[in-house]
Amino acid sequence: MRKAARLLLLLVVTALALTAPVPAQAGPGTAHGRSVLGLHSGWSFHRGEAPGAAEPGFDDSGWDRVTVPHSWNGRDGQDGGNDYYRGPGWYRRTLPAPTGGRVWLQFDGANTTTTVWVNGRLLGEHKGGYARFRFDATEALRPGRDNVLAVRVSNAPDPDVAPLSGDFTLHGGLYREVALVLTDAVHLDLLDHGGPGLYLRQQRVTPESATVAASTKLVNDSRSTARVRLRATVTGAFGEVVARGQSSVRAVGGGQAVDLALPLTIVRPRLWQGRADPFRYQATVEVVDTGGRVLDRVSQPLGLRTAEVSATDGFALNGKQLPVHGVNLHQDRPDVGWAVTPAQHAEDFRIMREMGVNAIRTAHYQHGETVYELADRHGFLVWTEIPLINLTTDSPAFRANIETQLREMIRQNFNHPSVVWWGLGNELWHDSPANNALLDRLASVVRAEDPSRPSAYASCCVSDRAGITQHTDGIGYNKYFGWYTGTFAELGPWADQLRAADPARPLALSEYGAGASAFQHQENPPSVVPASRWHPEQYQSAYHEAYWSQLRQRRWLWGSFVWAMFDFASDSRDEGDHPGRNDKGLVTYDRGIRKDAFYWYQANWTDTPVVHLNSKRWTSRTAASTTVRAYTNAETVTLRVNGRQVGEPVSGANRVAEWPEVLLRPGPNTVEVSGFKNGRPHTDTAVWTLRE
């Protein structure tokens, strides 16, 4: 009985701990400097307008109960018809009311315009669907009483907020994390465009030493002067301190903010080397009062590295040329839209690593913190960009908003070593004076905010040397020869001619790809109509074989990025085997099937043994004679059909093994390809049934 009673007591205590508000304390910085309380559960949601919902006494008992992250377009945004809901949605929940210090509401991403109230008091509005933002909720909270948070989110089109257009579903809702952040009245700035308040500026990196300035903005939200100092440490893989610094005591007046920077030197630094060695230090800055009490503490990743783009040598990491094997990456999943879990993001990175990817372009917007953290950890290079897509509004409000979105992206991701390129937009349709002036302004913002990283732009649909291609440090082009226009063979000559016309301009291929259904098959399809419902997988394979064979010869390109890594929702599309989907991914939307072209890149981009039988899902056949193909990096590959070897072993030197005019017998046929890699056998098998 006593054991059962103890178990019951433990369950009660645990339940109380999980549901109780944060306890009152003298100040959140007393023990830990800063704390974060995730607001995942307890939300009520209504899709549509709800007059009066900002008021604390509003009756939301009839609303849906949801958890956050949440999107209201998970299903209607992926089924085609271009008719998914774009309008307002409301969220409400109660909040704990910690006492002492400051309390901030933090939203990691909400699309597109978000307005926030606490207890009926308006905290503010944020316009932009992809960046983190915060509001100071301190004065609106009532200690010891229920507090009501009300949030109105709308993904309705707004001519003053980018993107105005895009070939992807603009999922609405609180689709990333929401949290309360508790700090002391004296803290690093939380309202600096959603940034961490700590910016690690690498000033000099050599094999002997690295010099870093830990730049901060210190804010005193109290009414009295605070006397504080900054204390900084850099730690290595096992927590060992490799650098430290401390400022003198500073007096910061009530309601004031000051900029402070600490120089830090790391002797014989270990560099962040991309996928070869994605080593990171951790830099921590503390705000300490004269009594030694930690008022605030912020930690950020520190990956020491240099990165350059060149018109002649392509991309160099830490002074060494590195071929950029990139893919474009959207952020959605079936049925949930953009409300993707950290585990799902981690799965995406595992799949990309498997294929040999070493770079991603976060199309066409700033992705969430989890993505950049995973890129840091796995050694991926990142081209991240603002959602300046297709169309613009020539208005002061639009220009101010997209500039704000750029500053948010830079400051929030400044410390991630994976971030190499700041992207200023994609496929503006008009080479107008207004668009040129806008891109010129945005390029100047990048130079002022972060001169250590190059800016980039992805061009399409205008002249290759149009004015809008001339503003950034590097230029990328979205080219689909053999899909939307022309033939596969045009890619190489196009690149060579463009380079010859402007030999000093660093060039990249920012997009290339072809649609494919994993369930539609045709041997040697001569062409495909992109807007049709027939996208045989074999055409995508032929496309990527032709493209990569040309790209790998042109090492002067600073990058190439496949469109796209995964199929994604585009509700306006009606093509391939599924309406509402862009099927150019190398992996299906649900991540369940790696299409054949995936293995083409794996054979070219990795040392992993690859022996992959192409068209293996094409199990029902009507033609007795067929060409058998395999992607491989094995020394030689052998084909057997129904246990009998066909022809001689084929070399895998060109990553493709092929056996023409192989005869299948009526009924089931066991087709097996096998090869040796590093002295070990590898086999892939399928059963193809010939229908009489």
Side-chain angles (χ1 to χ4, degrees):
M1 288 295 294
R2 282 183 288 180
K3 182 177 180 181
R6 286 197 301 270
L7 178 59
L8 177 61
L9 178 61
L10 177 61
L11 290 173
V12 170
V13 171
T14 301
L16 289 172
L18 291 173
T19 57
V22 174
Q25 51 185 4
T30 304
H32 303 293
R34 174 180 300 205
S35 58
V36 179
L37 174 65
L39 302 177
H40 305 291
S41 59
W43 293 89
S44 299
F45 168 71
H46 171 73
R47 195 180 86 167
E49 198 55 271
E55 297 304 317
F58 180 85
D59 181 9
D60 60 19
S61 60
W63 288 14
D64 296 333
R65 300 296 180 254
V66 300
T67 57
V68 169
H70 171 266
S71 172
W72 58 69
N73 294 124
R75 295 186 182 276
D76 71 348
Q78 66 182 19
D79 61 0
N82 200 28
D83 56 355
Y84 67 99
Y85 177 73
R86 296 192 66 182
W90 281 83
Y91 297 85
R92 287 168 53 91
R93 62 157 288 161
T94 58
L95 288 176
T99 59
R102 310 298 294 183
V103 183
W104 313 81
L105 275 165
Q106 176 173 287
F107 298 82
D108 284 353
N111 195 40
T112 304
T113 298
T114 307
T115 313
V116 180
W117 296 262
V118 170
N119 296 325
R121 177 171 176 172
L122 176 66
L123 298 190
E125 181 181 70
H126 180 267
K127 292 192 171 188
Y130 309 100
R132 171 179 284 175
F133 56 96
R134 304 184 182 103
F135 295 116
D136 187 347
T138 309
E139 304 304 326
L141 290 168
R142 302 175 298 193
R145 300 172 61 185
D146 285 341
N147 292 271
V148 178
L149 168 63
V151 183
R152 181 186 186 272
V153 186
S154 175
N155 65 339
D158 185 332
D160 293 331
V161 182
L164 304 183
S165 174
D167 185 10
F168 55 95
T169 299
L170 298 167
H171 299 269
L174 293 176
Y175 71 92
R176 293 189 190 142
E177 303 286 342
V178 180
L180 282 179
V181 181
L182 288 70
T183 72
D184 194 272
V186 181
H187 53 84
L188 299 188
D189 193 1
L190 280 87
L191 298 181
D192 185 19
H193 292 85
L198 166 61
Y199 305 98
L200 304 170
R201 303 184 184 276
Q202 300 181 33
Q203 298 174 324
R204 184 171 179 269
V205 178
T206 70
E208 292 75 31
S209 67
T211 303
V212 178
S215 300
T216 67
K217 179 176 286 186
L218 183 61
V219 178
N220 180 3
D221 278 325
S222 73
R223 297 179 179 178
S224 58
T225 297
R227 293 178 57 79
V228 297
R229 61 162 46 97
L230 289 186
R231 192 164 64 196
T233 57
V234 178
T235 54
F238 302 102
E240 73 279 13
V241 176
V242 299
R244 66 173 79 242
Q246 183 170 276
S247 73
S248 58
V249 173
R250 291 287 302 268
V252 184
Q256 292 186 349
V258 297
D259 293 323
L260 295 174
L262 287 176
L264 299 166
T265 299
I266 301 168
V267 178
R268 293 186 296 278
R270 181 174 169 182
L271 302 184
W272 188 87
Q273 299 276 21
R275 288 206 45 186
D277 183 15
F279 177 80
R280 292 176 297 166
Y281 297 95
Q282 185 177 60
T284 301
V285 165
E286 296 174 323
V287 183
V288 185
D289 67 12
T290 54
R293 186 170 67 108
V294 176
L295 305 180
D296 199 8
R297 176 186 291 122
V298 173
S299 295
Q300 287 287 288
L302 174 60
L304 299 168
R305 54 86 178 141
T306 62
E308 299 173 286
V309 293
S310 163
T312 56
D313 298 320
F315 175 76
L317 181 65
N318 300 320
K320 297 180 180 179
Q321 188 180 29
L322 177 66
V324 174
H325 300 156
V327 296
N328 285 270
L329 186 68
H330 269 289
Q331 65 178 0
D332 55 313
R333 287 278 187 133
D335 301 330
V336 298
W338 288 348
V340 178
T341 67
Q344 289 172 321
H345 284 305
E347 180 187 29
D348 286 353
F349 274 82
R350 288 194 298 271
I351 294 171
M352 290 188 292
R353 281 178 59 89
E354 178 187 335
M355 196 178 86
V357 174
N358 67 2
I360 58 173
R361 177 173 170 235
T362 62
H364 288 298
Y365 39 77
Q366 177 180 338
H367 285 212
E369 172 70 18
T370 299
V371 170
Y372 302 100
E373 165 62 26
L374 286 165
D376 288 349
R377 187 191 313 163
H378 291 293
F380 282 59
L381 312 171
V382 177
W383 172 349
T384 189
E385 66 187 23
I386 53 176
L388 186 66
I389 308 166
N390 302 159
L391 299 171
T392 61
T393 301
D394 187 11
S395 71
F398 181 89
R399 291 190 289 272
N401 177 262
I402 197 61
E403 183 174 324
T404 294
Q405 291 197 55
L406 177 59
R407 292 185 191 277
E408 289 174 330
M409 182 178 73
I410 293 174
R411 296 192 190 183
Q412 291 173 31
N413 298 292
F414 188 92
N415 298 322
H416 287 292
S418 59
V419 175
V420 173
W421 304 278
W422 297 123
L424 300 189
N426 176 75
E427 295 190 3
L428 292 182
W429 291 344
H430 304 294
D431 187 33
S432 64
N435 284 347
N436 276 278
L438 178 59
L439 286 172
D440 194 58
R441 171 57 186 163
L442 296 176
S444 70
V445 170
V446 171
R447 288 191 294 272
E449 290 277 335
D450 182 16
S452 71
R453 290 179 173 98
S455 59
Y457 172 75
S459 183
C460 174
C461 317
V462 295
S463 166
D464 287 339
R465 300 193 66 199
I468 58 175
T469 70
Q470 303 300 310
H471 300 283
T472 52
D473 300 310
I475 182 68
Y477 291 91
N478 302 341
K479 292 295 180 180
Y480 292 86
F481 299 115
W483 184 250
Y484 293 120
T485 62
T487 65
F488 305 156
E490 294 178 50
L491 175 67
W494 162 82
D496 293 341
Q497 291 166 14
L498 188 60
R499 186 190 187 203
D502 193 356
R505 187 84 166 130
L507 303 176
L509 193 62
S510 39
E511 291 182 22
Y512 68 99
S517 166
F519 309 104
Q520 296 176 352
H521 304 285
Q522 181 181 359
E523 190 163 295
N524 299 319
S527 63
V528 170
V529 177
S532 75
R533 299 302 298 271
W534 183 244
H535 286 183
E537 184 177 13
Q538 290 72 19
Y539 190 84
Q540 185 190 57
S541 298
Y543 179 103
H544 284 288
E545 288 177 34
Y547 263 65
W548 181 245
S549 296
Q550 297 171 80
L551 289 170
R552 65 187 175 195
Q553 300 174 33
R554 292 166 172 82
R555 295 286 297 271
W556 43 267
L557 290 168
W558 59 261
S560 60
F561 297 80
V562 175
W563 188 271
M565 187 65 212
F566 305 101
D567 292 347
F568 60 92
S570 181
D571 201 50
S572 62
R573 286 184 174 251
D574 185 12
E575 60 191 46
D577 65 20
H578 200 290
R581 188 165 301 172
N582 188 316
D583 65 354
K584 294 187 185 71
L586 301 178
V587 179
T588 54
Y589 194 26
D590 63 1
R591 279 56 171 176
I593 298 175
R594 290 150 174 78
K595 302 177 190 179
D596 284 345
F598 174 99
Y599 296 96
W600 164 248
Y601 286 106
Q602 187 184 41
N604 280 278
W605 290 355
T606 78
D607 292 326
T608 302
V610 178
V611 176
H612 172 74
L613 175 62
N614 288 19
S615 302
K616 62 188 300 181
R617 285 179 299 278
W618 189 6
T619 58
S620 182
R621 302 294 185 115
T622 57
S625 178
T626 187
T627 296
V628 178
R629 307 179 81 247
Y631 290 143
T632 185
N633 55 15
E635 289 85 2
T636 60
V637 188
T638 300
L639 170 65
R640 290 181 176 84
V641 177
N642 299 319
R644 298 184 62 180
Q645 181 173 322
V646 177
E648 297 296 321
V650 177
S651 170
N654 293 320
R655 305 302 189 254
V656 181
E658 186 171 282
W659 297 266
E661 298 180 354
V662 175
L663 292 178
L664 304 177
R665 68 190 183 193
N669 293 264
T670 300
V671 182
E672 176 189 276
V673 289
S674 59
F676 281 83
K677 175 75 171 177
N678 301 325
R680 300 186 64 182
H682 303 276
T683 301
D684 198 12
T685 305
V687 176
W688 296 343
T689 300
L690 179 61
R691 306 296 180 186
E692 295 185 277

